PDB file of all heavy atoms in Angstrom:
ATOM      1  N   ALA L1375      -6.684   8.726  27.599  1.00  0.00           N
ATOM      2  CA  ALA L1375      -6.031   7.425  27.560  1.00  0.00           C
ATOM      3  C   ALA L1375      -4.946   7.400  26.493  1.00  0.00           C
ATOM      4  O   ALA L1375      -5.130   7.882  25.378  1.00  0.00           O
ATOM      5  CB  ALA L1375      -7.048   6.329  27.308  1.00  0.00           C
ATOM      6  N   THR L1376      -3.793   6.787  26.856  1.00  0.00           N
ATOM      7  CA  THR L1376      -2.676   6.668  25.907  1.00  0.00           C
ATOM      8  C   THR L1376      -3.107   5.955  24.624  1.00  0.00           C
ATOM      9  O   THR L1376      -2.772   6.379  23.521  1.00  0.00           O
ATOM     10  CB  THR L1376      -1.531   5.897  26.572  1.00  0.00           C
ATOM     11  OG1 THR L1376      -1.147   6.621  27.737  1.00  0.00           O
ATOM     12  CG2 THR L1376      -0.356   5.713  25.646  1.00  0.00           C
ATOM     13  N   ASN L1377      -3.853   4.848  24.762  1.00  0.00           N
ATOM     14  CA  ASN L1377      -4.234   4.086  23.552  1.00  0.00           C
ATOM     15  C   ASN L1377      -5.048   4.960  22.595  1.00  0.00           C
ATOM     16  O   ASN L1377      -4.846   4.948  21.392  1.00  0.00           O
ATOM     17  CB  ASN L1377      -4.916   2.772  23.906  1.00  0.00           C
ATOM     18  CG  ASN L1377      -6.350   2.937  24.394  1.00  0.00           C
ATOM     19  OD1 ASN L1377      -7.287   2.948  23.623  1.00  0.00           O
ATOM     20  ND2 ASN L1377      -6.522   3.087  25.708  1.00  0.00           N
ATOM     21  N   ALA L1378      -5.964   5.758  23.153  1.00  0.00           N
ATOM     22  CA  ALA L1378      -6.822   6.593  22.314  1.00  0.00           C
ATOM     23  C   ALA L1378      -5.999   7.701  21.634  1.00  0.00           C
ATOM     24  O   ALA L1378      -6.193   7.997  20.455  1.00  0.00           O
ATOM     25  CB  ALA L1378      -7.951   7.173  23.122  1.00  0.00           C
ATOM     26  N   LYS L1379      -5.075   8.284  22.410  1.00  0.00           N
ATOM     27  CA  LYS L1379      -4.252   9.348  21.841  1.00  0.00           C
ATOM     28  C   LYS L1379      -3.405   8.826  20.683  1.00  0.00           C
ATOM     29  O   LYS L1379      -3.349   9.422  19.617  1.00  0.00           O
ATOM     30  CB  LYS L1379      -3.300   9.924  22.918  1.00  0.00           C
ATOM     31  CG  LYS L1379      -3.996  10.816  23.921  1.00  0.00           C
ATOM     32  CD  LYS L1379      -2.931  11.390  24.840  1.00  0.00           C
ATOM     33  CE  LYS L1379      -3.574  11.927  26.109  1.00  0.00           C
ATOM     34  NZ  LYS L1379      -2.597  12.148  27.166  1.00  0.00           N
ATOM     35  N   LEU L1380      -2.692   7.712  20.933  1.00  0.00           N
ATOM     36  CA  LEU L1380      -1.773   7.195  19.884  1.00  0.00           C
ATOM     37  C   LEU L1380      -2.543   6.661  18.681  1.00  0.00           C
ATOM     38  O   LEU L1380      -2.142   6.881  17.541  1.00  0.00           O
ATOM     39  CB  LEU L1380      -0.880   6.108  20.475  1.00  0.00           C
ATOM     40  CG  LEU L1380       0.183   6.603  21.453  1.00  0.00           C
ATOM     41  CD1 LEU L1380       0.956   5.408  22.035  1.00  0.00           C
ATOM     42  CD2 LEU L1380       1.158   7.581  20.811  1.00  0.00           C
ATOM     43  N   LEU L1381      -3.654   5.970  18.932  1.00  0.00           N
ATOM     44  CA  LEU L1381      -4.393   5.389  17.791  1.00  0.00           C
ATOM     45  C   LEU L1381      -5.063   6.483  16.973  1.00  0.00           C
ATOM     46  O   LEU L1381      -5.192   6.366  15.754  1.00  0.00           O
ATOM     47  CB  LEU L1381      -5.450   4.390  18.329  1.00  0.00           C
ATOM     48  CG  LEU L1381      -4.855   3.088  18.856  1.00  0.00           C
ATOM     49  CD1 LEU L1381      -5.905   2.262  19.600  1.00  0.00           C
ATOM     50  CD2 LEU L1381      -4.271   2.219  17.720  1.00  0.00           C
ATOM     51  N   THR L1382      -5.471   7.545  17.639  1.00  0.00           N
ATOM     52  CA  THR L1382      -6.082   8.680  16.892  1.00  0.00           C
ATOM     53  C   THR L1382      -5.001   9.400  16.092  1.00  0.00           C
ATOM     54  O   THR L1382      -5.136   9.632  14.883  1.00  0.00           O
ATOM     55  CB  THR L1382      -6.769   9.660  17.864  1.00  0.00           C
ATOM     56  OG1 THR L1382      -7.709   8.915  18.641  1.00  0.00           O
ATOM     57  CG2 THR L1382      -7.491  10.768  17.085  1.00  0.00           C
ATOM     58  N   ARG L1383      -3.887   9.719  16.759  1.00  0.00           N
ATOM     59  CA  ARG L1383      -2.799  10.420  16.072  1.00  0.00           C
ATOM     60  C   ARG L1383      -2.224   9.603  14.925  1.00  0.00           C
ATOM     61  O   ARG L1383      -1.804  10.126  13.891  1.00  0.00           O
ATOM     62  CB  ARG L1383      -1.694  10.794  17.037  1.00  0.00           C
ATOM     63  CG  ARG L1383      -2.079  11.979  17.956  1.00  0.00           C
ATOM     64  CD  ARG L1383      -0.879  12.414  18.765  1.00  0.00           C
ATOM     65  NE  ARG L1383       0.290  12.567  17.932  1.00  0.00           N
ATOM     66  CZ  ARG L1383       1.533  12.271  18.282  1.00  0.00           C
ATOM     67  NH1 ARG L1383       1.785  11.803  19.461  1.00  0.00           N
ATOM     68  NH2 ARG L1383       2.523  12.449  17.423  1.00  0.00           N
ATOM     69  N   GLY L1384      -2.194   8.273  15.089  1.00  0.00           N
ATOM     70  CA  GLY L1384      -1.645   7.400  14.074  1.00  0.00           C
ATOM     71  C   GLY L1384      -2.570   7.161  12.871  1.00  0.00           C
ATOM     72  O   GLY L1384      -2.174   6.561  11.904  1.00  0.00           O
ATOM     73  N   GLY L1385      -3.802   7.619  12.968  1.00  0.00           N
ATOM     74  CA  GLY L1385      -4.763   7.439  11.883  1.00  0.00           C
ATOM     75  C   GLY L1385      -5.436   6.067  11.880  1.00  0.00           C
ATOM     76  O   GLY L1385      -5.914   5.596  10.864  1.00  0.00           O
ATOM     77  N   PHE L1386      -5.484   5.436  13.047  1.00  0.00           N
ATOM     78  CA  PHE L1386      -6.114   4.107  13.157  1.00  0.00           C
ATOM     79  C   PHE L1386      -7.616   4.201  13.431  1.00  0.00           C
ATOM     80  O   PHE L1386      -8.392   3.402  12.956  1.00  0.00           O
ATOM     81  CB  PHE L1386      -5.485   3.290  14.279  1.00  0.00           C
ATOM     82  CG  PHE L1386      -4.058   2.906  14.050  1.00  0.00           C
ATOM     83  CD1 PHE L1386      -3.011   3.787  14.330  1.00  0.00           C
ATOM     84  CD2 PHE L1386      -3.741   1.654  13.567  1.00  0.00           C
ATOM     85  CE1 PHE L1386      -1.686   3.423  14.114  1.00  0.00           C
ATOM     86  CE2 PHE L1386      -2.431   1.275  13.341  1.00  0.00           C
ATOM     87  CZ  PHE L1386      -1.393   2.164  13.604  1.00  0.00           C
ATOM     88  N   VAL L1387      -7.971   5.141  14.289  1.00  0.00           N
ATOM     89  CA  VAL L1387      -9.374   5.252  14.707  1.00  0.00           C
ATOM     90  C   VAL L1387      -9.804   6.715  14.742  1.00  0.00           C
ATOM     91  O   VAL L1387      -8.965   7.633  14.793  1.00  0.00           O
ATOM     92  CB  VAL L1387      -9.614   4.667  16.135  1.00  0.00           C
ATOM     93  CG1 VAL L1387      -9.205   3.199  16.209  1.00  0.00           C
ATOM     94  CG2 VAL L1387      -8.907   5.467  17.217  1.00  0.00           C
ATOM     95  N   ARG L1388     -11.101   6.917  14.773  1.00  0.00           N
ATOM     96  CA  ARG L1388     -11.637   8.244  15.027  1.00  0.00           C
ATOM     97  C   ARG L1388     -12.848   8.095  15.936  1.00  0.00           C
ATOM     98  O   ARG L1388     -13.732   7.253  15.690  1.00  0.00           O
ATOM     99  CB  ARG L1388     -12.056   8.908  13.743  1.00  0.00           C
ATOM    100  CG  ARG L1388     -12.556  10.339  13.955  1.00  0.00           C
ATOM    101  CD  ARG L1388     -12.976  10.990  12.667  1.00  0.00           C
ATOM    102  NE  ARG L1388     -13.370  12.369  12.855  1.00  0.00           N
ATOM    103  CZ  ARG L1388     -14.556  12.752  13.307  1.00  0.00           C
ATOM    104  NH1 ARG L1388     -15.467  11.862  13.674  1.00  0.00           N
ATOM    105  NH2 ARG L1388     -14.827  14.049  13.416  1.00  0.00           N
ATOM    106  N   LYS L1389     -12.836   8.897  16.991  1.00  0.00           N
ATOM    107  CA  LYS L1389     -13.926   8.786  17.968  1.00  0.00           C
ATOM    108  C   LYS L1389     -15.230   9.309  17.332  1.00  0.00           C
ATOM    109  O   LYS L1389     -15.253  10.346  16.706  1.00  0.00           O
ATOM    110  CB  LYS L1389     -13.577   9.577  19.231  1.00  0.00           C
ATOM    111  CG  LYS L1389     -14.698   9.570  20.270  1.00  0.00           C
ATOM    112  CD  LYS L1389     -14.155   9.648  21.663  1.00  0.00           C
ATOM    113  CE  LYS L1389     -13.957  11.113  22.041  1.00  0.00           C
ATOM    114  NZ  LYS L1389     -13.483  11.202  23.446  1.00  0.00           N
ATOM    115  N   GLU L1390     -16.305   8.558  17.603  1.00  0.00           N
ATOM    116  CA  GLU L1390     -17.639   9.020  17.174  1.00  0.00           C
ATOM    117  C   GLU L1390     -18.252   9.842  18.330  1.00  0.00           C
ATOM    118  O   GLU L1390     -18.531  11.017  18.169  1.00  0.00           O
ATOM    119  CB  GLU L1390     -18.488   7.772  16.869  1.00  0.00           C
ATOM    120  CG  GLU L1390     -19.904   8.044  16.458  1.00  0.00           C
ATOM    121  CD  GLU L1390     -20.029   8.738  15.109  1.00  0.00           C
ATOM    122  OE1 GLU L1390     -19.098   8.648  14.285  1.00  0.00           O
ATOM    123  OE2 GLU L1390     -21.065   9.382  14.880  1.00  0.00           O
ATOM    124  N   VAL L1391     -18.460   9.180  19.455  1.00  0.00           N
ATOM    125  CA  VAL L1391     -18.855   9.838  20.713  1.00  0.00           C
ATOM    126  C   VAL L1391     -18.114   9.037  21.811  1.00  0.00           C
ATOM    127  O   VAL L1391     -17.495   8.011  21.492  1.00  0.00           O
ATOM    128  CB  VAL L1391     -20.384   9.752  20.960  1.00  0.00           C
ATOM    129  CG1 VAL L1391     -21.134  10.641  19.951  1.00  0.00           C
ATOM    130  CG2 VAL L1391     -20.884   8.304  20.886  1.00  0.00           C
ATOM    131  N   ALA L1392     -18.199   9.513  23.067  1.00  0.00           N
ATOM    132  CA  ALA L1392     -17.447   8.851  24.129  1.00  0.00           C
ATOM    133  C   ALA L1392     -17.728   7.339  24.154  1.00  0.00           C
ATOM    134  O   ALA L1392     -18.891   6.921  24.208  1.00  0.00           O
ATOM    135  CB  ALA L1392     -17.796   9.452  25.473  1.00  0.00           C
ATOM    136  N   GLY L1393     -16.682   6.518  24.081  1.00  0.00           N
ATOM    137  CA  GLY L1393     -16.825   5.079  24.154  1.00  0.00           C
ATOM    138  C   GLY L1393     -17.177   4.387  22.832  1.00  0.00           C
ATOM    139  O   GLY L1393     -17.426   3.207  22.792  1.00  0.00           O
TER     140      GLY L1393
END
Side-chain angles (χ1 to χ4, degrees):
T1376 300
N1377 75 88
K1379 284 185 198 164
L1380 289 176
L1381 289 168
T1382 305
R1383 285 187 49 217
F1386 292 84
V1387 302
R1388 184 181 183 280
K1389 178 150 86 177
E1390 178 68 22
V1391 291

